[in-house]
Amino acid sequence: MAAVTEALTLDCRELSTREINRALGELPEGSVVHVTEPWGRHNLAVGLTNRIDVRVDGNAGYYLGGLGDGPDITVDGFVGWSVAENLMSGTVRVRGNASECAGASSHGGLLVIEGDASSRAGISLKGGTIVVGGDVGHMSGFMAQAGTVLVGGNAGHALGDSLYETVIYVAGSVASLGSDARVEDLTEDDVRVVERLLKTAGFDHVDPQNVTRVASAKQLYNFDALKGQSY
């Protein structure tokens, strides 16, 4: 990130969400911004394309950091559903837990959740990277097409249902696998990937050589509506 050129505090008690997002979008590269008193405010820091450092001081609502293409966002609290939805580049870090659909349809960038993520984390992932320090809920990685997910805790039922090219690493237990997902042997390349993700996320509670690799069995790539039917 470029050198800091401006420091600013935006208070959610005094500004509307539109006013906050407009102010964020107009800041020069390298700015550091504190968004204070969010009180679960929805749609904060959405659609930003500038390389700025946004620090949300408290819990935020849904779609935080959505459609981001450049900023680095840190939330000192919990977030609602679809944090970092459709993220293109940049980083979103949540120091608490996240609700459903974290990182949905992310094309790039990095989403780090230091706590737990609810159901469908990484749904329809399209190239982004998601690192969760704790557990993820059911159907995480559903229809994930590309990218990487690392779960530092346990995974709920139907993990990786209808998975495509995304690879999911789980340090804890997997309640069950979804359709067309399978466990594969861990390679040295996988270990290096996990090591890099842990270093980037700042986590030290996972053994990179003792994670489960979940990937697609690739039986759903070519759907045949007539398979198994007779007339």
Side-chain angles (χ1 to χ4, degrees):
M1 179 173 288
V4 174
T5 58
E6 184 174 342
L8 181 66
T9 296
L10 300 174
D11 192 331
C12 290
R13 295 173 299 180
E14 302 173 357
L15 300 170
S16 69
T17 301
R18 179 171 292 182
E19 289 171 328
I20 291 172
N21 287 339
R22 181 185 296 118
L24 292 173
E26 292 174 350
L27 289 172
E29 301 282 308
S31 297
V32 177
V33 191
H34 288 270
V35 178
T36 61
E37 309 296 338
W39 296 352
R41 181 78 66 89
H42 304 309
N43 301 315
L44 288 173
V46 168
L48 300 178
T49 59
N50 44 349
R51 292 287 295 175
I52 61 176
D53 186 347
V54 182
R55 303 172 186 178
V56 181
D57 300 330
N59 300 327
Y62 51 65
Y63 290 109
L64 179 132
L67 298 166
D69 192 8
D72 293 319
I73 303 170
T74 301
V75 181
D76 190 14
F78 295 176
V79 294
W81 67 71
S82 292
V83 59
E85 181 267 344
N86 209 38
L87 184 68
M88 302 302 289
S89 68
T91 301
V92 177
R93 177 181 291 269
V94 179
R95 299 202 181 279
N97 300 329
S99 189
E100 297 181 351
C101 301
S105 297
S106 293
H107 289 248
L110 170 67
L111 169 61
V112 177
I113 298 168
E114 296 187 2
D116 300 328
S118 186
S119 59
R120 297 176 178 85
I123 182 174
S124 194
L125 191 68
K126 292 180 172 65
T129 301
I130 300 174
V131 183
V132 180
D135 302 337
V136 296
H138 67 272
M139 294 196 76
S140 289
F142 175 53
M143 293 189 69
Q145 298 160 37
T148 308
V149 179
L150 171 60
V151 180
N154 303 320
H157 286 285
L159 178 69
D161 191 273
S162 303
L163 195 64
Y164 285 85
E165 292 296 329
T166 297
V167 176
I168 304 173
Y169 301 103
V170 182
S173 63
V174 176
S176 67
L177 296 175
S179 298
D180 208 37
R182 69 181 181 186
V183 173
E184 297 182 341
D185 291 338
L186 198 68
T187 69
E188 288 302 316
D189 285 341
D190 290 317
V191 173
R192 284 190 287 270
V193 168
V194 174
E195 288 175 340
R196 176 178 54 80
L197 293 176
L198 291 171
K199 182 177 180 180
T200 300
F203 295 156
D204 60 6
H205 64 292
V206 173
D207 179 0
Q209 300 192 45
N210 193 28
V211 298
T212 301
R213 173 190 165 102
V214 177
S216 174
K218 301 184 179 181
Q219 298 302 305
L220 296 180
Y221 271 40
N222 299 295
F223 181 71
D224 184 355
L226 301 179
K227 185 176 181 180
Q229 298 186 28
S230 60
Y231 296 91

